[in-house]
Amino acid sequence: ECEAADYFDEKVSDFFSDCKIKFKEDNIDEKILVWLQGESDSQLGYDLYLEQLSKLHKKCKNLGFTKFFMIRVGYWGDDKILDIMRAQEDFCKTNDDAYMLTRVCSFMKFYGTNEQIYKCNIPNEFMYCRDSFYGFDNQHINEKGFKIIAEYAVPNILRILLDNENPILETEIVKI
């Protein structure tokens, strides 16, 4: 784990140094980490996940990141993921430089599961956003899903960076 953290530090530092040289005419004061968790870490539970997320946030701030943008984790077949979603929401509410960009990743239907974690039926736009719906043996978000994530995240990115306003999030449909 330490090797991965050291490698991350080195790559981020090198990237920021290269940007100072390649974009010396541009304002590069704003440095943003966009976090879309690929693994759910549902086994960690709320408290430990929040602690780990806080450590990552601190590390990123020490490296020079100025904002932490989050795309809420998707549902991965284990209801314990609801604690992770809640931790991510709470993290963004309690850190002034952390912003939830969108919740829609967690609205995307997980092939073969019941929908008891939802307050209502999943809207049609969030159907077929995973490879599993097209015969692949995985639940990864597909191109349609990533386009939907971008469609919801980009207006909030602009709201935050250009208008200095808070994001406007989708109505919650997950029972977190």
Side-chain angles (χ1 to χ4, degrees):
E1 184 178 9
C2 187
E3 277 184 38
D6 291 343
Y7 185 73
F8 177 75
D9 292 356
E10 178 185 337
K11 288 300 173 186
V12 168
S13 296
D14 289 349
F15 178 75
F16 288 164
S17 294
D18 288 348
C19 288
K20 285 180 186 175
I21 295 166
K22 293 184 182 206
F23 303 105
K24 59 185 169 205
E25 304 299 321
D26 296 324
N27 181 347
I28 57 169
D29 291 340
E30 199 76 84
K31 296 171 183 72
I32 302 161
L33 179 78
V34 179
W35 182 253
L36 171 54
Q37 178 124 6
E39 300 284 331
S40 71
D41 282 339
S42 61
Q43 74 284 357
L44 294 179
Y46 176 89
D47 292 326
L48 184 54
Y49 181 84
L50 192 58
E51 179 185 319
Q52 296 294 341
L53 192 56
S54 295
K55 286 180 182 178
L56 174 64
H57 180 245
K58 182 178 179 183
K59 175 180 260 313
C60 289
K61 286 178 79 159
N62 289 339
L63 288 169
F65 285 99
T66 56
K67 288 188 174 47
F68 194 103
F69 286 178
M70 185 163 323
I71 296 168
R72 193 169 76 186
V73 68
Y75 180 73
W76 295 98
D78 179 354
D79 289 0
K80 289 188 257 178
I81 192 67
L82 300 176
D83 286 334
I84 304 309
M85 290 178 194
R86 192 167 44 86
Q88 290 180 336
E89 291 275 348
D90 289 348
F91 174 81
C92 289
K93 288 176 188 169
T94 58
N95 289 280
D96 291 341
D97 61 348
Y99 300 86
M100 182 65 67
L101 293 179
T102 181
R103 298 173 171 145
V104 297
C105 193
S106 60
F107 298 174
M108 295 177 183
K109 173 113 170 101
F110 187 87
Y111 183 80
T113 190
N114 61 39
E115 296 175 16
Q116 68 188 18
I117 68 157
Y118 297 100
K119 297 176 184 180
C120 59
N121 290 332
I122 298 172
N124 284 338
E125 75 176 305
F126 304 119
M127 301 296 287
Y128 307 107
C129 293
R130 296 176 184 260
D131 289 344
S132 51
F133 287 97
Y134 297 98
F136 295 97
D137 189 23
N138 71 70
Q139 296 278 3
H140 296 128
I141 305 296
N142 59 29
E143 180 182 8
K144 177 188 177 195
F146 281 112
K147 285 181 177 180
I148 289 172
I149 292 168
E151 179 183 326
Y152 282 86
V154 168
N156 280 328
I157 292 169
L158 297 175
R159 217 172 260 112
I160 296 162
L161 295 178
L162 300 181
D163 301 332
N164 201 27
E165 294 178 3
N166 287 322
I168 298 173
L169 295 174
E170 312 78 32
T171 300
E172 182 65 80
I173 67 168
V174 178
K175 297 176 186 173
I176 62 168

